[in-house]
Amino acid sequence: MAAERLVIIGGDAAGMSAASQARRLRGPGELEIVAFERGRFTSYSACGIPYWVGGDVAERDDLVARTPEEHRARDIDLRTRTEVTEIDVAGRRVRALDLGTGESYWTGFDKLVIATGARPVRPALPGMDAPGVHGVQTLDDGQALLDSLDRAPGRRAVVVGAGYIGVEMAEALLKRGFEVTVLNRGEQPMATLDPDMGRLVHEAMDGMGITTVGRAEVTAILTGPDGRVRAVAAGDTSYPADVVVLGIGVEPETTLARAAGLPLGPHGGLLTDLSMRVVGHDGIWAGGDCVEVLDLVAGRTRHIALGTHANKHGQIIGSNVGGGYGTFPGVVGTAVSKVCDLEIARTGLREKDARAVGLRFVTATIESTGRAGYYPGALPMTVKMLAEYRTGRLLGVQIVGRDGAAKRVDVAAVALTAGMTVERMTALDLGYAPPFSPVWDPVLVAARKAVAAVRRAGTD
């Protein structure tokens, strides 16, 4: 009896995690695995690219968890520099293009995994493809940016967008000795936070020497006589630039899936069931940045591009393909980042998210420190908490601060997943010693204030 063939489109976190897990469960005689990757690298940390660009990570290869050669040594037929151009669902086959030779060919499958990831948002504006303008999504992108920084005629950089990618790249460019301007369409950076918390990030970035411009709608990339970028136009103002980095965000790369008629959600990502199987299609799974996931707090699907989710998706898909069993129940929307020494964290819903799903809520914002106030090195942090009106169910937490502020959000993420109320949170038995926390941890101080707000709301 011939072995089943598993075909995987995409050779990064979700795709190769699925391949590796399936191989652990089923040998080559039972399952043939063919994986297509259009780039040169596999199983790498895209999240680490800003830290490589900034010099915190010394070498590109430090970001690679497993090379193509290592995957092939485990009986995975990994074909790099090969792009899948079509999925024939009815015929159970995919068309692939060898980018080196130009050869195009069909490969049949018994089971298919779509792990095509996400693509950087790149507006169709004049000059967007000029030399010196860079998106940062792959290792090749990171190398191209580093090469461009070395060739830049001056030391002025403009970052378009002030989300996670934008603020992380602003820090990287600052470390590289560039004069950095961040242009943000919103009023405050970090739209994943409420504006009052985003303002704290704005003030801190200004203090670091990063010029942050709000309500700056980019209209064009201006170029010089040599065709290279020289400035970014936003409204009536132009900002000189020797290099431009796009940090506008990403969207699901589902071009193939859409053309194949596979189901997509409201954010353009593939829709799957709990096993990560594409809805309505036996034998086809999808995971990573190309899918939508269930928000356990809002009760709706959303698109979140994170390596943590992608690796979990891959493990679950590989288990199911390989004869085991696994499910992915959803997320609460936890994310952390930093710009220089400022740490930024969020989980759950923002105010506008809660309003969008019809939830009434109260908020509580506190200022505290990451250590006991008398302990050397105690630095401030701000915690904002949202709780459901009357019931007190925790809805979301945002944290901006220094000295270990970001990872405190994990307590809130667990509380959200467990469906805890803010009152129940106040009794959590968290670790305490003066070098690590005040007697009342900042998250618990915010929970106490949220309890009081809920009780006041109950008397309205």
Side-chain angles (χ1 to χ4, degrees):
M1 182 177 176
E4 282 190 311
R5 179 181 290 157
L6 168 64
V7 167
I8 297 172
I9 308 174
D12 200 5
M16 298 318 295
S17 290
S20 297
Q21 179 66 2
R23 176 56 76 227
R24 291 186 192 102
L25 297 176
R26 298 181 68 183
E30 299 178 287
L31 183 68
E32 177 189 0
I33 303 176
V34 180
F36 296 99
E37 167 54 44
R38 64 185 176 185
R40 296 179 295 146
F41 303 97
T42 58
S43 302
Y44 60 88
S45 173
C47 300
I49 293 173
Y51 307 107
W52 167 40
V53 173
D56 298 295
V57 176
E59 301 292 338
R60 178 188 65 201
D61 290 349
D62 292 340
L63 300 180
V64 178
R66 189 166 289 166
T67 65
E69 292 74 23
E70 289 172 317
H71 284 299
R72 292 173 186 136
R74 305 183 70 207
D75 293 306
I76 296 170
D77 181 2
L78 174 59
R79 305 176 190 181
T80 53
R81 297 287 295 152
T82 306
E83 181 176 5
V84 172
T85 58
E86 184 179 350
I87 301 171
D88 178 2
V89 173
R92 312 295 282 183
R93 60 181 186 164
V94 301
R95 187 200 296 270
L97 173 66
D98 186 316
L99 298 176
T101 66
E103 177 192 3
S104 182
Y105 58 91
W106 288 98
T107 300
F109 63 83
D110 298 295
K111 297 178 178 180
L112 175 68
V113 175
I114 302 171
T116 44
R119 59 178 177 267
V121 174
R122 200 178 185 101
L125 298 175
M128 192 59 70
D129 295 323
V133 180
H134 297 270
V136 186
Q137 181 71 10
T138 67
L139 290 187
D140 286 323
D141 293 337
Q143 188 63 63
L145 173 57
L146 283 172
D147 294 342
S148 185
L149 295 179
D150 290 338
R151 296 192 303 266
R155 309 301 290 175
R156 299 168 301 182
V158 171
V159 178
V160 180
Y164 293 107
I165 298 170
V167 300
E168 289 168 359
M169 289 310 305
E171 174 186 348
L173 294 165
L174 193 68
K175 287 185 173 182
R176 287 281 176 180
F178 279 73
E179 176 186 326
V180 182
T181 300
V182 177
L183 303 181
N184 184 38
R185 185 168 59 181
E187 183 177 357
Q188 303 295 350
M190 298 301 296
T192 53
L193 305 177
D194 287 323
D196 54 339
M197 297 295 282
R199 185 174 61 253
L200 301 178
V201 179
H202 191 159
E203 292 169 354
M205 290 174 68
D206 285 348
M208 297 166 190
I210 299 171
T211 301
T212 307
V213 184
R215 300 194 182 281
E217 185 78 36
V218 173
T219 53
I221 305 295
L222 307 179
T223 57
D226 58 354
R228 185 181 173 88
V229 61
R230 65 173 179 82
V232 178
D236 297 328
T237 306
S238 64
Y239 300 87
D242 300 295
V243 66
V244 173
V245 176
L246 304 178
I248 307 171
V250 298
E251 55 193 9
E253 177 49 271
T254 49
T255 306
L256 286 172
R258 184 184 298 276
L262 298 175
L264 304 181
H267 307 285
L270 276 156
L271 294 177
T272 68
D273 60 20
L274 290 174
S275 72
M276 304 306 300
R277 181 179 62 91
V278 174
V279 172
H281 291 271
D282 288 334
I284 302 179
W285 287 264
D289 295 353
C290 65
V291 306
E292 295 189 15
V293 294
L294 177 64
D295 185 318
L296 296 172
V297 187
R300 296 180 176 180
T301 62
R302 59 187 296 191
H303 178 244
I304 301 179
L306 276 179
T308 51
H309 303 329
N311 278 285
K312 291 172 187 174
H313 294 169
Q315 286 284 314
I316 290 160
I317 292 168
S319 294
N320 291 322
V321 168
Y325 179 70
T327 61
F328 186 80
V331 303
V332 294
T334 308
V336 297
S337 186
K338 80 177 189 75
V339 53
C340 296
D341 65 339
L342 184 76
E343 301 181 11
I344 307 160
R346 59 74 49 89
T347 189
L349 307 182
R350 298 164 297 177
E351 290 189 22
K352 72 175 186 179
D353 300 325
R355 292 190 189 98
V357 295
L359 289 169
R360 296 181 66 189
F361 59 90
V362 299
T363 66
T365 302
I366 64 96
E367 293 184 4
S368 184
T369 55
R371 308 178 183 186
Y374 56 81
Y375 193 87
L379 295 172
M381 73 174 67
T382 302
V383 181
K384 180 175 182 177
M385 188 169 288
L386 276 69
E388 188 173 17
Y389 178 78
R390 293 188 183 272
T391 72
R393 177 172 65 104
L394 179 67
L395 296 179
V397 172
Q398 300 163 39
I399 304 175
V400 175
R402 294 171 168 84
D403 187 32
K407 287 296 284 180
R408 274 185 161 83
V409 82
D410 289 343
V411 173
V414 173
L416 279 168
T417 304
M420 295 178 69
T421 64
V422 288
E423 185 166 15
R424 188 177 174 195
M425 285 182 68
T426 63
L428 287 173
D429 185 11
L430 304 184
Y432 161 68
F436 306 107
S437 170
V439 171
W440 280 92
D441 187 89
V443 172
L444 299 190
V445 175
R448 290 178 67 184
K449 189 171 181 180
V451 169
V454 170
R455 287 175 179 166
R456 285 195 303 273
T459 64
D460 293 346

